[in-house]
Amino acid sequence: MKLLREARVDLGAIASNVQTLLATAGVPGMAVVKADGYGHGAVPVAQAALDAGATWLGVVDLVEALALREAGITAPILTWLHDPATDFSPGIAAGIDLGVSSLPQLERVAAAEGRAFVHLKIDTGLGRNGADAEQWQLLVRRAAELERAGALVVRGIFSHLAGSPDDGLQVQRFRDALVVAEEVGLRPELRHLAASAGTIGIPDARFDLVRLGIGMYGLNPFCDGRPSAEFGLRPAMELAGRVVAVKRVAASTGVSYGYTYRTAKPSTLALVGLGYADGIPRHGSNGAPVSINGTRYAVAGRIAMDQFVVDLGDDFAEVGDRVVLFGDPATGVPSADEWADAAGTINYEIVTRLGSRIRRTYR
Ligand SMILES: *Cc1c(COP(=O)(O)O)cnc(C)c1O
């Protein structure tokens, strides 16, 4: 079937990336499938990652976690960002592990129905959630008390790296936090700090478990211009639209809203049925790359809500031809990194922001 908008996800690539990253890490791995699997589809990605050897799943909140359970996924799941009013009881009943960042949150988890499995979070320097060093003393002491009383189990202690030159300092602060937890009697089974970049770049950050996000999807976590193939990773998603109209125009023809582009010579224009409503960044106007029938072209003029134009010069295309925006550059198509550069963002955002009109297909 010809789809107007298709994100084709290669689950074999997901599996291969998981295996590569687990081999690098040498410790168990959590497949992070928040935000609908970074736009790839949380359930199929989760299943592929678990089949490939991941033993945990990570999502951001309980809504995402419960959706995985509803889809029949029984693997351990951790969730770490909670609505201040969250009722934790359904999550505990569904066997979802809870990231806990503060004392009030810990009390609410302990007061919820059932015995929760928690992962206490220390802020080692990212400046987001997690207890700071001072609050950490109180948090672990109270958690140890609640654990002894049978109200909850402290299964993990975790933190998250900033990807800064201070990552080494964060690793040290994490070690210090583990010592403080041990002093009050906690013996967490899982200490985890590294996401994809830490897994690849900081052996000291791997501890008992690594949390694999962007690398599992086959994209370079460092966003530094290196192809992900350098890390043995293969981009899993290929985003494609279709040519929906073709026309021959004269030189100096204005293209799309505001005429920010004019043809340099008589040219063929192809209209593609994807736009910013689909998450195609408007900042990619005038320059972001596409591939049609194996040849590269650039977006001409402004990307609109539902469509954009490509200048084919003297080439021709048929209505219905497939237009690849990005995929695995090893197959000759542009990469998500090129779109990120064109739009002034990072590969994470390019894949994650894709909208619901784009059909996800799997092979
Ligand atoms: C998103 C996220 C990850 C995964 O990060 P990647 O850089 O995509 O590998 C890991 N841990 C936490 C806490 C996250 O929020």
Side-chain angles (χ1 to χ4, degrees), residues 32 34 38 80 121 128 160 195-196 211-214 348:
V32 179
K34 62 190 178 188
Y38 291 36
W80 50 75
K121 188 166 191 191
R128 302 200 314 202
H160 195 41
S196 300
R211 304 186 303 264
L212 306 172
I214 200 73
Y348 288 72

Side-chain angles (χ1 to χ4, degrees), residues 314-332:
D314 290 328
D315 293 351
F316 195 73
E318 300 280 353
V319 168
D321 280 353
R322 200 159 178 271
V323 181
V324 178
L325 283 71
F326 59 81
D328 181 352
T331 67

